[in-house]
Amino acid sequence: MPATILIGTQWGDEGKGKVTDWLANDMDMVVRYQGGHNAGHTVIAEGHKLKLHLLPSGILRPHVVSVIASGLVIDPQALIMELDLLKDIGIGEPNLVVSTNAHLIMPYHRALDQASEVKLGKSKIGTTGLGIGPAYTDKASRVGLRMQDLMDMKIFREKLEVALNFKNQVLTKIYDVDPLDIDQIMDEYLLHAERLKNLIGDTSRVINEALDGGKNVLFEGAQGMMLDLDHGTYPFVTSSSPIAGGACVGAGVSPMRINRIIGIVKAYTTRVGAGPFPTEQENDTGETMRSVGGEYGTTTGRPRRCGWFDGVIAKYAARINGLTGIALTKLDVLSGFETIKICVGYEHEGKLYEQMPCHQSIFHKCTPVYEEVEGWNTDISGADSYDKLPKAAQDYIVRLEEMTGVPIEMISVGPSRMQTILR
């Protein structure tokens, strides 16, 4: 199927990197369509463990064209660091195109992000402080700088002067932070422009021409749908749209071109940062999941909050995104549990909610309703087919399928490419 969207269905960190890398073998193009370097994914391939933040996972496949599309905000320094990382492990100049319309993260975006979180105190959102939110704010306010502005540094400076005049007033008068120097920024971004200028192009045209030619294209988002600006747990969300519909907007393609939408579902649930999390286990269970699953943020190293699988969220993700299939990840992490719990609903003030509550106060205060199933209590990391999984593990998979109404097509039982089962 020529056009496939791959999305995270929880709060991110579901294992998109591995699944994207697996699928990329059959793809001609992999497109990253939203977000910034505040999200990351880990790919293990050819003896290397790579932590990528901006580059699409397909970057490791020589035959794949990698695309950073218009829906992203890009810190040029972060992108260059990732390109240098590829060189360090012996990967030559990648086949990469970066959208002219992608917005730039500027030094004042980082300063504003960090100062704002300090100012908010206990009410802080829990951002990474990398400038993602302020960059998207400028994009919506129509005062942002874009990748194409790096192609004409005269225009770049004119736009920067206007933006910096206002930003420095905010930094100094509201946040009591030192102002930024325009000449220092110009010197830095002039170097970035020289390094990146040959990669900048019309990505919407490149993508649509690939689809016109019958090429297989994979659209990859960052974060997860519960961090979506419109449909996530607002205000504890990201600043863009990770859902399937966001792929069309961020990449510049018609919804009519999409053939398949695969949701990445972790066999349990995790979350980084602040915000509601009904199935969170702040106990030995959560600590075991964190320890065995290596649940620490790829970008920040922050420990992830861990909890049981949330079927309400899974059904919500299936509905919002129109999932055609599921890739179930980290099933092996649950191997040490005698029994496993599945959240099948929420209870709030005597009322049962089997679908996602539309009022955030209910979601914040609800109590999960659990169904308990038998664990398999044996190592499954070496299973190479569905039939070799213990019956209890198979039963767990079938139960998740029943809850979501979506077939589970792929099962991950470990971090490497080979530890993947296709059904």
Side-chain angles (χ1 to χ4, degrees), residues 150 318 341:
L150 293 175
K341 292 182 179 180

Side-chain angles (χ1 to χ4, degrees), residues 62-377:
H63 71 280
V64 172
V65 178
S66 294
V67 176
I68 296 177
S70 303
L72 275 80
V73 290
I74 299 173
D75 185 326
Q77 184 177 12
L79 177 56
I80 290 169
M81 287 177 64
E82 288 195 36
L83 292 171
D84 288 343
L85 176 64
L86 296 182
K87 282 188 176 181
D88 290 343
I89 63 171
I91 297 177
E93 195 66 25
N95 194 354
L96 174 67
V97 187
V98 182
S99 174
T100 59
N101 292 334
H103 278 247
L104 289 166
I105 296 174
M106 304 297 294
Y108 48 79
H109 292 138
R110 293 191 295 270
L112 287 167
D113 199 358
Q114 294 162 17
S116 175
E117 284 287 89
V118 171
K119 195 83 169 179
L120 286 170
K122 292 182 179 180
S123 300
K124 65 182 180 180
I125 304 301
T127 77
T128 55
L130 297 175
I132 311 299
Y136 274 113
T137 297
D138 278 4
K139 176 180 179 178
S141 298
R142 301 180 296 279
V143 294
L145 282 80
R146 299 188 290 178
M147 289 297 294
Q148 61 182 271
D149 294 323
L150 293 175
M151 308 298 287
D152 188 330
M153 296 308 289
K154 180 176 181 293
I155 290 177
F156 183 92
R157 186 179 183 104
E158 290 173 356
K159 291 184 176 182
L160 179 59
E161 284 178 344
V162 174
L164 194 58
N165 180 53
F166 177 72
K167 302 300 183 185
N168 273 340
Q169 292 187 58
V170 175
L171 287 170
T172 57
K173 296 179 180 179
I174 295 179
Y175 294 115
D176 194 26
V177 174
D178 291 338
L180 300 175
D181 181 71
I182 188 169
D183 291 325
Q184 185 176 344
I185 296 174
M186 283 298 302
D187 289 344
E188 177 186 348
Y189 278 71
L190 185 61
L191 294 175
H192 296 335
E194 186 63 29
R195 177 69 184 276
L196 298 175
K197 64 182 180 181
N198 293 329
L199 301 176
I200 301 172
D202 184 348
T203 54
S204 176
R205 178 179 60 79
V206 168
I207 297 166
N208 278 281
E209 285 180 352
L211 292 171
D212 289 342
K215 302 291 187 181
N216 292 319
V217 179
L218 181 65
F219 297 89
E220 164 190 41
Q223 289 99 17
M225 80 142 290
M226 293 304 292
L227 294 175
D228 185 89
L229 183 59
D230 292 304
H231 304 286
T233 48
Y234 189 89
F236 304 99
V237 293
T238 193
S239 303
S240 57
S241 188
I243 64 171
C248 297
V249 177
V253 299
S254 167
M256 298 294 291
R257 310 206 74 154
I258 306 303
N259 306 92
R260 181 171 57 161
I261 302 172
I262 300 175
I264 312 300
V265 177
K266 193 180 286 186
Y268 49 102
T269 311
T270 61
R271 177 166 197 169
V272 170
F277 183 178
T279 65
E280 183 175 12
Q281 298 296 299
E282 298 181 275
N283 49 32
D284 289 345
T285 295
E287 182 54 42
T288 298
M289 292 174 178
R290 184 180 302 112
S291 176
V292 176
E295 297 296 353
Y296 298 89
T298 303
T299 301
T300 64
R302 288 185 293 180
R304 294 171 184 149
R305 301 156 62 191
C306 298
W308 295 115
F309 182 84
D310 192 325
V312 179
I313 286 175
K315 288 189 290 187
Y316 181 57
R319 167 162 58 90
I320 293 290
N321 295 284
L323 300 181
T324 61
I326 285 174
L328 184 67
T329 62
K330 292 200 169 183
L331 184 65
D332 54 301
V333 174
L334 296 181
S335 294
F337 293 100
E338 294 286 347
T339 59
I340 296 170
K341 292 182 179 180
I342 302 170
C343 175
V344 296
Y346 305 141
E347 190 276 330
H348 178 68
E349 295 184 349
K351 183 175 180 180
L352 177 65
Y353 293 84
E354 294 182 329
Q355 297 289 337
M356 186 72 179
C358 62
H359 198 294
Q360 72 175 38
S361 293
I362 297 173
F363 188 69
H364 276 253
K365 298 175 183 178
C366 69
T367 301
V369 177
Y370 288 118
E371 173 183 302
E372 197 163 298
V373 299
E374 181 185 355
W376 43 95
N377 201 27

